[in-house]
Amino acid sequence: MFAADAPSTPPPTISTPPKDEGEGIVVRRAVRRYSLSECLALADRNHPNLWAARARLSVVHAQLDEARWAPFFQGWSANATIGVIPPLGGTPYYGATPSILLNPNLNTSFGPFFQFSVNGGVPLYTFGKITGYIHAAEAQIRMNEWDLEKLRQQVRMDVRRAYFTLLFARDALYVADEALKGIDKGLTKINDHLAKSDGGYDEVDRLRLQFYRDELVARTSDAHRGEDVALAALRFLTGVQSSFDVPDEPLKRPEVPLRPVVRYLAAARVLRPEVSYARAGVAARRAQVGLAEARFFPDVYIGANASYLIGPNATQQNTAWILDPFNRFGWGLAMGARWSLDVLPNQARLVQAESQLEEARAYERLALGGIGVEVETAYGAVNEAKVREEAWARNEHLAKGWLTSVRDAIDLGTKDERYLIEPTRFYIGARVAHLQAMMDYNLALSELARVSGLDSVAPDAGANGG
């Protein structure tokens, strides 16, 4: 149910070189890289909340079967008895057996007897009780189905959040690593100049560059922590606890076109699980109101019974007016009606059901109104992230050009390494801010997909490791 459930494509591998402490042997372990779409599929199959929701769904399906069959079986019963009786002779008109034998002692010659009986009834018309139970159970199934879908959408959002956070953290580490290499190169040159006592360089220049390097190293700890947390979250969400990783690809700008907000509002009213859950709740409460009303009326049924008794020690009685308690076989059919006379308690139950129906309708209105606020909020977040990502992309391009020109000037000898600090700081800040904006853009689209019910709005899995 875990790693074996992954798609059967040949797993790309990376080499991890942990060493055995005793012998220094390098162990190479195959690590499976899972794309975003594969992570989503694994989470759909393995997340504990979804397993629990599926179990609850199975429970209500069984309750529907119970509602369908229980009215036809609940009135039926069977009884079997076996024992011993003393010799009982005679007829109803001539008693050959003294009454003392009804209190037998150890000297009595006992004989066996056996009794088996079946009785019950089948409802013909219940004024809506049976259909009320069935409709309520069917609505309960729909509620649990939409509850499962709600949890599934939330799990998919959690997977996307962890996935994009992991890509962001690794990209930030790559940026920091690249910047540290450039700073180390500049520090080496400054140290060489200071060692040679070249003019134009002093200890302050080295300290400034060293300070910025240490600041950058300190900030990478946040990226390492984010990577570890996101990777642990993905392992839990997917159910793959070992040999798990994601493709080593950069975080990219989502290519999903943004449509007018009315499209997402209309989709949410139809596809949002909370709305359908509320509608199913109204249907269930309506069925309960009908059930409470039907309880004021009787149940019309056909009754049947059959019994078989045999006791060889007792003389069989053949008259129709005497019920032989030891030897007989009989059966019968009858039609009848059965009332429950708890009128006042049932009136209270009807008021309760009507109040619960009104409560369900209020929740339906709340769901319809609340999703509008959520959709518009998510839509605004997408627009904001989109504008921010585009602005930081331009800033990153400018800062990279500035840094490149300074490095070219250093290589040509027109500038020295002291000029690296400011453009490097601006470039790293713009690059990390751009990565943050891209992650926020992807997550904002993922949230818009969740609140609108349109999963296709989420970033394309193929654009980010899919």
Side-chain angles (χ1 to χ4, degrees):
M1 294 302 300
F2 295 99
D5 284 340
S8 58
T9 55
T13 61
I14 60 176
S15 298
T16 56
K19 293 185 177 180
D20 188 291
E21 295 180 358
E23 302 179 1
I25 299 175
V26 176
V27 179
R28 304 178 72 85
R29 179 182 303 171
V31 177
R32 177 73 160 87
R33 293 188 184 274
Y34 293 90
S35 66
L36 176 57
S37 59
E38 289 173 330
C39 290
L40 292 171
L42 286 168
D44 285 346
R45 287 196 293 267
N46 298 331
H47 196 279
N49 283 343
L50 299 183
W51 276 79
R54 293 186 188 104
R56 291 193 296 269
L57 185 58
S58 297
V59 169
V60 295
H61 272 287
Q63 290 175 347
L64 174 59
D65 293 337
E66 180 185 6
R68 285 173 174 165
W69 294 109
F72 301 96
F73 286 88
Q74 64 183 1
W76 289 88
S77 64
N79 182 46
T81 306
I82 188 170
V84 294
I85 58 174
L88 301 175
T91 68
Y93 307 104
Y94 171 72
T97 303
S99 62
I100 190 66
L101 284 182
L102 296 177
N103 299 301
N105 54 47
L106 296 178
N107 295 324
T108 304
S109 177
F110 289 99
F113 80 91
F114 174 74
Q115 174 187 0
F116 180 78
S117 62
V118 177
N119 62 83
V122 177
L124 293 179
Y125 190 71
T126 61
F127 292 90
K129 297 183 184 69
I130 295 177
T131 55
Y133 282 119
I134 292 176
H135 290 163
E138 290 173 342
Q140 191 176 14
I141 287 176
R142 292 194 297 273
M143 290 174 65
N144 279 268
E145 288 174 343
W146 286 111
D147 183 60
L148 171 60
E149 180 62 20
K150 174 186 174 182
L151 291 172
R152 178 177 172 271
Q153 294 289 350
Q154 185 59 56
V155 167
R156 292 174 72 85
M157 179 64 199
D158 292 341
V159 170
R160 289 184 172 113
R161 180 182 293 110
Y163 194 91
F164 292 128
T165 301
L166 180 57
L167 294 185
F168 165 72
R170 289 184 172 175
D171 282 356
L173 289 174
Y174 291 147
V175 171
D177 183 65
E178 179 185 357
L180 286 173
K181 289 179 181 178
I183 293 174
D184 288 339
K185 183 179 179 181
L187 276 173
T188 300
K189 291 184 177 180
I190 290 178
N191 288 330
D192 291 341
H193 286 299
L194 290 175
K196 296 176 183 178
S197 299
D198 291 344
Y201 290 91
D202 56 26
E203 186 66 17
V204 175
D205 296 328
R206 187 188 68 81
L207 290 176
R208 288 177 59 196
L209 203 57
Q210 182 65 47
F211 175 82
Y212 182 62
R213 184 187 186 282
D214 292 340
E215 179 185 358
L216 188 59
V217 170
R219 291 183 181 275
T220 58
S221 62
D222 289 337
H224 282 294
R225 180 176 61 86
E227 180 186 20
D228 293 340
V229 171
L231 195 58
L234 280 176
R235 285 198 299 264
F236 168 73
L237 291 168
T238 60
V240 182
Q241 296 299 324
S242 61
S243 301
F244 176 90
D245 206 342
V246 301
D248 188 14
E249 296 181 358
L251 189 63
K252 299 178 182 178
R253 174 188 296 175
E255 299 177 356
V256 180
L258 193 60
R259 308 298 183 185
V261 67
V262 292
R263 171 189 172 95
Y264 306 108
L265 290 170
R269 295 179 66 90
V270 178
L271 302 176
R272 184 72 181 269
E274 288 85 347
V275 176
S276 298
Y277 181 93
R279 289 169 179 162
V282 171
R285 295 304 186 186
R286 189 179 293 115
Q288 290 178 345
V289 170
L291 183 60
E293 292 174 344
R295 284 175 177 161
F296 287 108
F297 301 94
D299 295 339
V300 180
Y301 68 95
I302 290 181
N305 67 83
S307 63
Y308 174 74
L309 298 91
I310 182 171
N313 267 18
T315 302
Q316 186 173 358
Q317 309 299 314
N318 296 320
T319 177
W321 299 101
I322 298 298
L323 181 63
D324 190 342
F326 303 107
N327 292 278
R328 75 171 186 270
F329 171 75
W331 64 274
L333 291 174
M335 180 181 291
R338 182 169 45 241
W339 278 271
S340 177
L341 298 180
D342 57 342
V343 178
L344 294 179
N346 193 59
Q347 178 62 33
R349 287 192 289 267
L350 177 59
V351 173
Q352 293 175 28
E354 291 174 341
S355 300
Q356 289 173 337
L357 174 59
E358 185 58 35
E359 178 188 21
R361 286 171 173 163
Y363 281 132
E364 181 183 22
R365 294 193 299 271
L366 176 63
L368 289 171
I371 62 168
V373 176
E374 290 184 349
V375 169
E376 293 193 27
T377 301
Y379 189 83
V382 171
N383 279 318
E384 184 272 335
K386 182 174 182 294
V387 172
R388 180 157 47 91
E389 188 275 332
E390 292 171 350
W392 279 116
R394 292 191 296 270
N395 282 346
E396 179 189 351
H397 180 73
L398 293 174
K400 186 174 183 180
W402 182 13
L403 179 61
T404 301
S405 65
V406 171
R407 286 176 176 172
D408 292 341
I410 293 174
D411 292 338
L412 293 174
T414 58
K415 290 185 179 180
D416 55 52
E417 286 73 14
R418 293 174 295 179
Y419 289 91
L420 277 175
I421 297 178
E422 190 174 9
T424 300
R425 183 188 296 270
F426 273 92
Y427 171 70
I428 293 177
R431 176 60 179 161
V432 173
H434 185 208
L435 289 173
Q436 179 74 51
M438 281 195 292
M439 183 187 72
D440 293 343
Y441 192 5
N442 280 280
L443 292 179
L445 279 172
S446 301
E447 179 66 9
L448 181 60
R450 186 189 71 83
V451 300
S452 66
L454 283 173
D455 197 66
S456 59
V457 177
D460 183 12
N464 283 290

